[in-house]
Amino acid sequence: MPAQPTIRLAHSAEAHSIARMSRDWIEHGLGWSWTAGRVSQAIGDAATNVAVLMKNERLEGFGIMQYPDDGAAHLVLLAVSPLLRHQGMGGQLLHWLEQSARLAGSTEIRLECRADNLNAIAFYQHLGYRQGGMVGGYYEGRIDAVRMRKPVGAPP
């Protein structure tokens, strides 16, 4: 029976791997903004959760959630290995981050998604996120973003 994935907070030693995943799976075709240094800063930031999805002791996905002071969490990045997509792992990772946001007192999660990434938009919609508008040229002035949001309510 295949090992079930585990989700936990990232360690600083994983910043390089997370940054490479961001570059290859999210930022393709754009400049590399989530470098190892930036990921490392996020890991050390008390107002940010960097979660990793581990399967068979391998880093196979990650998510970065920020908690600004406005009561809404901001999902900055989320990615799962292309070989493991469509197996429910992205949903598990997102659910873990949503639970963390709820426990942090957030009432809503917001995100931006590349308008040219129809699979990601469908993924978020399937998990209850609703489109809240478009931002022209959000990514480097050349790729539009879809803004999405989901209410998460108060912790139980």
Side-chain angles (χ1 to χ4, degrees), residues 6-22 34-37 39-40 43 50-55 57-62 64:
T6 58
I7 300 167
R8 61 166 171 74
L9 291 174
H11 303 158
S12 59
E14 295 164 327
H16 286 281
S17 295
I18 293 168
R20 280 194 304 275
M21 290 175 178
S22 178
W34 281 91
T35 61
V39 171
S40 186
I43 291 171
V50 181
V52 291
L53 177 102
M54 305 295 293
K55 185 163 185 195
E57 299 182 35
R58 289 179 42 96
L59 181 73
E60 297 287 1
F62 73 95
I64 300 177

Side-chain angles (χ1 to χ4, degrees), residues 85-108:
R85 291 180 189 163
H86 307 289
Q87 297 180 32
M89 291 185 204
Q92 289 178 42
L93 181 57
L94 184 55
H95 179 72
W96 191 97
L97 289 162
E98 289 173 347
Q99 289 293 101
S100 297
R102 199 173 286 114
L103 290 172
S106 299
T107 57
E108 178 178 68

Side-chain angles (χ1 to χ4, degrees), residues 15-36 39 62 64 77-79 82 85 114 140:
H16 286 281
S17 295
I18 293 168
R20 280 194 304 275
M21 290 175 178
S22 178
R23 180 193 64 208
D24 296 345
W25 301 340
I26 299 172
E27 298 181 84
H28 55 86
L30 298 167
W32 190 15
S33 67
W34 281 91
T35 61
V39 171
F62 73 95
I64 300 177
L77 297 172
L78 182 84
R85 291 180 189 163
R114 288 172 64 145
E140 296 183 351

Side-chain angles (χ1 to χ4, degrees), residues 65-79:
M65 181 88 77
Q66 296 175 334
Y67 301 94
D69 292 333
D70 65 0
H74 183 215
L75 181 64
V76 180
L77 297 172
L78 182 84

